[in-house]
Structures are given as C-alpha cells and as structure tokens.
Amino acid sequence: MAKPIITLNGLKIVIMLGMLVIILTGIRFAADIVVPFILALFIAVILNPAVQFMVRWRIPRVVAVTLLIAFIILLAVLLLASLGTSLNELGRTAPQYRSSLVVPLQNVEPMLQRLGIQVSVEQLSKFIDPNAAMLLVTRFLTQLSNAMSSIFLLLLTVVFMLLEVPQLPTKLQQLMSRPVEGMAAIQRAIDSVTHYLVLKTAISLVTGLVAWWMLALLDVRFAFIWGMVAFALNYIPNIGSILAAIPPILQVLVFGGISDALLVMAGYLAINMLFGNILEPRIMGRGLGLSTLVVFLSLIFWGWLLGPVGMLLSVPLTIIVKIALEHSAGGKGIAILLSDLSKP
C-alpha cells in the first residue's frame, strides 16, 4: 500500500500557517509593547505632513517637531482638564439616574404585563446602583492620571520617529535586495495610510465638533463628553458612529422623554448621513481599495489581536497588509480577495 506523499507546496503552506500562528500569538501576548509602538507610528504618520510643511518654510526639522509636540501637549492638557471636569460632574449627578429610571419602568410595566411578561419594577430598581457608576468614573479618572507617564513615553517615541524620517529611506534601501520595487511599495503604503489617517482625523474632528454643537444646542448635559466620544469612535469603521450615538440618546430618553430622544437620534442620523455616507466617500475616493466585508472583518480581527487600538487602526493596518501581499510572490491572490473590484 502506497504511503501518501506530501508535496513540497503543501509542506510550505503548512509551515507558513504554523509561522503565522506563532507570530500572531506572540503579538497578542506582547500587546502591551506592540500597541504603543504601533500607535506612536501612526501618530507620527499623521503629524509628518505638518512637519514637512514647516520644513518647506525653512524651519529646522528639530524646531518644527518641538513646536508641533508642544502644541499637542497644550491641547491635550486643555482637553483632559475639560474632560475631567465633565466626568466629575457626571459622577456627582449619577444618583439622579436611579430615580429617573424608575419612572419609565413604571410606565412600561403595565404594557409588559398585558403581553404576558411579568416584570417587577422594585426588583429591577435594585440593580440600578448609582454608586457603581460613580466608582466607574473614579476608576477612569485614576487610570487617566496613571496613563500620563505612558502618554509621555508615547510622545517621546513619536518625536524620535519624526526626527528619524529623513534617514529612513537610506536605511531601508540598504536592507532590500530589490530597493527600487521595495521602496515603491513602501511609499505607496505610506501614501495610502497617510491619506486615510489625515482625512479620517479631519472628518472625525468635524464630526465630534458638530455632535458637540448639536447636543449643546439641544441643551443635552455632558455634550462635551459625547462630542469626544463621537470623535474617537468615528475612527472605527461601520459601527463606530452608531456606538457613539447610543449613550446620549439613552440619557435624553431617561431625562427628557421619547420626543427629545427622537430629536437627538435624528440629529445623529443627519450627521452620519452627511459625513459618513456623503462627505467621507467623496473625499476618500478610491484610496482604500478594500471591500466593505473586508473592512468589517478587519475590525473584528485587529480588535481581537490588539484591543481597542486595533479597532481604531483596523483599516490602515489592513491597507499595509494588502500592499505587502501584492508585492509578494504567493500573496497576490489573497490581495485580490481583500480588494474592492466593484470600483473602477
């Protein structure tokens, strides 16, 4: 009886899959080290166009980087101070939520009983613990203060990356066997990621400001917090804007009623339609080259691998992987699967 013979190509595939599993496992266990480095790298990519602009105006690169980082630190301090004040106010007003939530539950209880659903408002009210919300806010503020040292190291890494940019092409060319093709692929990846991150940051900033203005106009409490949430979650494709709208809608539903909640919901729908479905696709154009399914799956994969930062950076990370596959001998087929062939 003839023994099965493993082909050379099959053995290569098995070895590559095994290496991939080992690499992904290592990245997952080393996420505490890998995530800050990746985040610093993408922050440097976002800031490098501003540095290049100042350099073109005959400002020394060291001075340009110093001015930019100083401006970012000043802006971060002001934002964190405003955010801390709002979170403290949220913690102080948390006990009001218990009494406010009991009234809607009492109104809903008869309707649920008519449908055959037995619900006790007294039992449900026991699970509404305002002290838990206050404890959550306190823990968040403590973690925020403890994270200042990590933020300092992150910004220091960004500074060194920005100062290293002029020497980086020469170093990379010396490492490559085919420097012309390799540098072309790297430049394409950098251009695509820079194009995406800069435009996405600008659109997210405008989205957060408009959401803040809209909520302040409707006299919604903690509008600044919800504007910051809208700015941060807008980086998450597909579902980020939906997640950002849930907390303020629930808050208005509890304190203001259904009509006010529907008004806030309509405002968020208008913002998402304008910026997410009309403005962003027009500005981004065909820069991504990724199918919608791949964007959603990349959100799940990078979120599992790198946590929340992976979700925020899922699209640029997938763009880099796609371009790397396009320039490898065995990865062109996978790159085609990742591409959006519906666009010309």
Side-chain angles (χ1 to χ4, degrees):
M1 184 175 180
K3 296 181 179 180
I5 300 175
I6 300 177
T7 63
L8 184 59
N9 290 333
L11 183 61
K12 287 182 178 179
I13 293 174
V14 172
I15 293 174
M16 290 176 63
L17 290 176
M19 292 174 62
L20 181 62
V21 170
I22 293 173
I23 292 172
L24 293 178
T25 304
I27 292 175
R28 184 171 171 82
F29 278 101
D32 292 339
I33 301 174
V34 175
V35 168
F37 175 78
I38 293 177
L39 187 58
L41 180 62
F42 282 106
I43 292 175
V45 169
I46 295 174
L47 298 180
N48 189 58
V51 175
Q52 297 283 24
F53 176 79
M54 287 188 282
V55 169
R56 284 196 295 267
W57 283 88
R58 305 297 178 88
I59 299 176
R61 191 173 189 86
V62 176
V63 177
V65 172
T66 303
L67 291 175
L68 189 60
I69 295 299
F71 173 76
I72 291 174
I73 292 175
L74 178 62
L75 184 63
V77 168
L78 293 176
L79 289 176
L80 288 176
S82 301
L83 185 61
T85 303
S86 300
L87 288 175
N88 281 327
E89 183 183 355
L90 178 61
R92 288 195 303 268
T93 57
Q96 299 178 11
Y97 282 84
R98 182 169 187 172
S99 57
S100 300
L101 283 171
V102 170
V103 175
L105 289 175
Q106 289 176 343
N107 296 331
V108 173
E109 183 181 12
M111 293 187 295
L112 294 177
Q113 289 179 350
R114 285 196 293 269
L115 295 174
I117 302 174
Q118 298 298 324
V119 178
S120 174
V121 174
E122 295 181 358
Q123 294 295 328
L124 288 177
S125 62
K126 294 179 181 180
F127 293 98
I128 305 172
D129 186 9
N131 294 324
M134 296 178 67
L135 181 61
L136 182 64
V137 172
T138 304
R139 286 180 178 177
F140 180 79
L141 291 175
T142 304
Q143 293 175 356
L144 197 62
S145 60
N146 293 335
M148 291 306 295
S149 59
S150 301
I151 293 174
F152 174 76
L153 293 176
L154 180 69
L155 290 176
L156 197 60
T157 306
V158 171
V159 169
F160 286 120
M161 286 181 175
L162 290 173
L163 295 176
E164 191 74 12
V165 168
Q167 305 175 13
L168 193 58
T170 304
K171 293 181 179 181
L172 292 176
Q173 285 178 351
Q174 295 177 358
L175 293 175
M176 297 176 182
S177 57
R178 295 183 295 177
V180 176
E181 296 180 4
M183 288 305 299
I186 291 175
Q187 189 61 47
R188 183 185 166 200
I190 292 175
D191 292 342
S192 299
V193 171
T194 303
H195 177 263
Y196 173 80
L197 286 177
V198 171
L199 292 180
K200 190 68 173 178
T201 300
I203 293 172
S204 299
L205 180 61
V206 174
T207 301
L209 289 174
V210 173
W212 178 22
W213 173 79
M214 184 260 302
L215 293 174
L217 192 65
L218 295 175
D219 199 23
V220 177
R221 300 184 69 179
F222 315 117
F224 179 74
I225 294 179
W226 306 137
M228 290 287 292
V229 170
F231 164 72
L233 294 185
N234 196 62
Y235 281 94
I236 300 178
N238 299 327
I239 64 173
S241 56
I242 299 175
L243 295 176
I246 293 175
I249 292 175
L250 291 178
Q251 175 189 318
V252 175
L253 180 63
V254 171
F255 287 99
I258 296 177
S259 59
D260 292 339
L262 290 176
L263 188 59
V264 173
M265 183 184 298
Y268 269 97
L269 286 175
I271 292 173
N272 293 331
M273 285 292 294
L274 177 61
F275 294 107
N277 297 332
I278 298 176
L279 185 62
E280 184 171 324
R282 287 180 176 272
I283 295 177
M284 292 290 187
R286 195 177 174 272
L288 297 182
L290 301 173
S291 68
T292 305
L293 176 61
V294 168
V295 171
F296 182 74
L297 293 178
S298 68
L299 173 68
I300 299 174
F301 172 76
W302 293 112
W304 166 80
L305 187 64
L306 300 175
V309 174
M311 298 177 69
L312 295 176
L313 300 176
S314 59
V315 171
L317 287 170
T318 308
I319 291 174
I320 294 174
V321 171
K322 174 177 172 289
I323 293 175
L325 291 171
E326 288 175 348
H327 290 81
S328 62
K332 293 182 179 179
I334 302 177
I336 293 175
L337 292 176
L338 297 178
S339 301
D340 185 6
L341 301 179
S342 62
K343 295 181 180 180

